[in-house]
Amino acid sequence: MTTDTHTITPTSDPVRSPRRRAGESAQIVVFGTVAWLGYVWLAATIVYAIVLACVVRWGSLDTSLWRPLASGWQQYVVLAAGVTVSTTFLRMLVRNGATRRMLSIAATVTMSAIAAALAIWNMAGFAIEKVVYDANDWPQTLPTDAVIGWNDLPRIALDNALVVAVYYSTGWIIGCCYTRWGALAGTALLLPAVVPAAAMEFLVTPGFAGVNIDVIASWRPHPHPVVTIVAGGALLAASVYVAHRLTRGAPVR
Amino acid sequence: MSSSTSLTEPTPGGHALELRDVTVRFGSTLAVDAVTTTIPAGAIVGLLGRNGAGKSTLLRTLAAHRRPSDGTVRVAGEDPYEHERLMADLCLVRHDGDFNLDVSVADSIAIAAALRPHWDGATLDRLMERFRLQSNRTKVGALSLGQRAALAVSIGIATRSPVTMFDEPHLGLDAPSRYAFYDELLATYIAMPRTIIVSTHLIDEVASLLEHVLIIDRGALLVHEPADELRTRGLELTGPSAAVDEITGGMAVLSSRTLGPTTSAVVFGEDHGDLQDRAAAAGVEVGPIPLQDLFVAMTSQESVR
């Protein structure tokens, strides 16, 4: 065996301190998630734009198209994104020397970024649709028979942000349960794992986000924004805490 | 890294890695059975064992990829699990690289470069060239098994982690690539000594590199010794069956083969005393045994006679 010698100078690189690596971890998880979620949002926007353009050209409407075509199912995609915290990023980061705590912080940052982005995207979708509907004198009605007004848009953003965030954390919890305890126990824990997502749907305005079942959405009360913010915020914090705790003990398989 | 925390400096106990009764269970399966040992800082250690012996599980536990079911792991005297600095200093390279196959080669490298505190891009570039790899947008899943293995060991060496572990790196690497890997491993070790653990079956290929040898079988640690000492402890005796049997009586015989009137026996012990003289008098030849043969003898038998 021949041996070449190479000069390698050990360095202590201050830019790769734990804090710096936590930041790098967050970037990896945010971009790694948005990289594919972005395509979903783009596809939904394009499909919606095409359908809306066809309707404007050849027909008429009295219900929101944005809600069923683009907005109403995003939380389920985000749920899948939450699952990837343990199925993809746990291995990717820990194998490269990051701690599970760094991963949890990165996932929390990702959750916040996705929730904010989808809140803006949803609000913008409803707003653009409202402009089009108003121009054609169509009512922008939801499945709950509510007609969306301009002053509803901030509440739409708030509700969507909370629902999207809690769905992400729910997916994160589900993934951790499977990673820690295997397929059988993971499946058995599905029901308790989705409790935060189900509970959040009852803390937001019917029709704006969450519950898609008309019969439920039509009879339940509209919570006051303060109740939504306080109770929804507490629920989200609790689910994120559970996800953090589960991540800390998750093995890299 | 400060001198007080450097793994290349001896810890107060004089060892970089310390395992105490480390046990790992998967349900009713015992993967690692109460392993207790210490691995000195800055040594190149061979972790030898048959398939399913528990090597990979032990390495994953050392790398803080999982907690042991029982027992303790200490790196530089501290628990590495969730330890921000120590986890960054521990690098486990699995034979397939354990990559996300949907991620490009360039991104896989970028992730390691971003998270590894001692990353050396120049070394990575040199290794990529030597292994004929390119850092591009090709997905890792599109690489051959050999290319993936070469990428994995390149990244592993370029991390310059104070504790770098290679789990069966020979799988997937062809012979020229394996020797290139051994060359580079030794070269970077000389340039920057660190603790290196290599789990392998191809013992003869790495035997000259190893300073310490751990042999694990069915989860239990059979041997942990300096490689040179281990080599002197195994001897092969060949001669008339009756004479061989007489000389090896009371000794630990790892294996024995008889062909007609001739028997060849591998013995293992700390002090062979006047074995050479007695063998010569009885017409029995005594010779050293390669590490590979010693490993095979120790792990292929049910129990030592």
Side-chain angles (χ1 to χ4, degrees), chain A residues 2 4 21 91 100 248 252, chain B residues 65 81-82 98 115 183 187:
Chain A
T2 60
D4 301 324
R21 290 189 299 114
R91 195 173 55 152
R100 292 157 185 80
R248 192 171 166 78
V252 177
Chain B
H65 287 190
Y81 194 88
E82 285 297 277
D98 210 11
L115 296 176
D183 280 353

Side-chain angles (χ1 to χ4, degrees), chain A:
Chain A
M1 190 185 304
T2 60
T3 303
D4 301 324
T5 55
H6 310 280
T7 303
I8 298 171
T9 309
T11 57
S12 181
D13 188 346
V15 301
R16 298 200 192 109
S17 63
R19 179 173 291 189
R20 173 75 181 186
R21 290 189 299 114
E24 299 279 8
S25 300
Q27 281 187 44
I28 290 166
V29 179
V30 168
F31 287 114
T33 305
V34 173
W36 67 271
L37 266 184
Y39 285 113
V40 175
W41 299 339
L42 183 65
T45 307
I46 290 171
V47 168
Y48 170 77
I50 291 170
V51 173
L52 184 63
C54 292
V55 172
V56 168
R57 175 68 180 81
W58 290 296
S60 65
L61 276 171
D62 59 0
T63 57
S64 168
L65 262 185
W66 179 252
R67 168 74 178 162
L69 278 185
S71 163
W73 47 272
Q74 290 301 327
Q75 64 268 40
Y76 306 116
V77 182
V78 171
L79 181 88
V83 173
T84 65
V85 173
S86 62
T87 58
T88 300
F89 294 108
L90 172 69
R91 195 173 55 152
M92 184 183 286
L93 296 191
V94 173
R95 185 174 57 81
N96 281 298
T99 61
R100 292 157 185 80
R101 182 173 170 273
M102 289 177 186
L103 170 65
S104 292
I105 292 169
T108 307
V109 170
T110 305
M111 179 190 76
S112 307
I114 292 173
L118 269 177
I120 293 168
W121 182 76
N122 267 311
M123 190 171 65
F126 278 116
I128 291 167
E129 184 178 72
K130 182 151 188 64
V131 170
V132 174
Y133 276 41
D134 286 353
N136 289 278
D137 205 20
W138 300 337
Q140 191 184 14
T141 314
L142 290 172
T144 55
D145 293 334
V147 178
I148 298 172
W150 286 107
N151 57 356
D152 288 327
L153 294 181
R155 185 67 201 260
I156 285 175
L158 169 69
D159 288 358
N160 273 282
L162 284 171
V163 167
V164 163
V166 86
Y167 264 81
Y168 184 89
S169 66
T170 297
W172 181 3
I173 290 170
I174 290 170
C176 283
C177 288
Y178 276 94
T179 301
R180 286 190 66 161
W181 296 299
L184 200 63
T187 305
L189 290 167
L190 270 178
L191 203 58
V194 300
V195 165
M200 185 66 86
E201 296 212 10
F202 282 85
L203 286 172
V204 298
T205 313
F208 284 6
V211 177
N212 279 324
I213 305 166
D214 296 352
V215 68
I216 297 175
S218 58
W219 62 256
R220 71 188 177 84
H222 292 207
H224 191 275
V226 174
V227 173
T228 300
I229 291 171
V230 173
L235 186 62
L236 180 61
S239 69
V240 170
Y241 175 75
V242 170
H244 274 242
R245 296 295 300 177
L246 290 174
T247 304
R248 192 171 166 78
V252 177
R253 298 190 187 279

Side-chain angles (χ1 to χ4, degrees), chain B residues 131-269:
Chain B
F131 287 117
R132 300 177 184 175
L133 295 168
Q134 288 186 318
S135 176
N136 54 26
R137 306 308 305 171
T138 304
K139 291 192 187 309
V140 173
L143 300 179
S144 69
L145 182 62
Q147 288 174 315
R148 225 179 287 165
L151 179 63
V153 298
S154 299
I155 290 175
I157 291 173
T159 64
R160 297 189 309 168
S161 299
V163 179
T164 309
M165 294 169 270
F166 296 91
D167 189 6
E168 304 197 286
H170 58 276
L171 297 177
L173 290 177
D174 57 21
S177 297
R178 287 202 305 276
Y179 282 98
F181 164 62
Y182 302 140
D183 280 353
E184 293 290 347
L185 192 63
L186 194 56
T188 54
Y189 175 79
I190 290 168
M192 181 189 162
R194 50 187 146 164
T195 304
I196 294 172
I197 304 176
V198 182
S199 153
T200 184
H201 292 143
L202 304 181
I203 300 161
D204 283 345
E205 287 188 4
V206 296
S208 61
L209 293 175
L210 304 180
E211 296 171 77
H212 288 256
V213 173
L214 282 86
I215 298 179
I216 185 171
D217 192 39
R218 297 175 204 181
L221 187 64
L222 293 184
V223 167
H224 178 192
E225 292 189 17
D228 289 341
E229 282 183 28
L230 186 61
R231 287 188 188 96
T232 64
R233 291 181 57 185
L235 292 174
E236 186 172 35
L237 286 75
T238 306
S241 296
V244 170
D245 286 346
E246 184 186 339
I247 292 170
T248 59
M251 299 180 72
V253 179
L254 297 179
S255 68
S256 178
R257 287 172 298 173
T258 300
L259 186 64
T262 305
T263 291
S264 176
V266 173
V267 295
F268 185 78

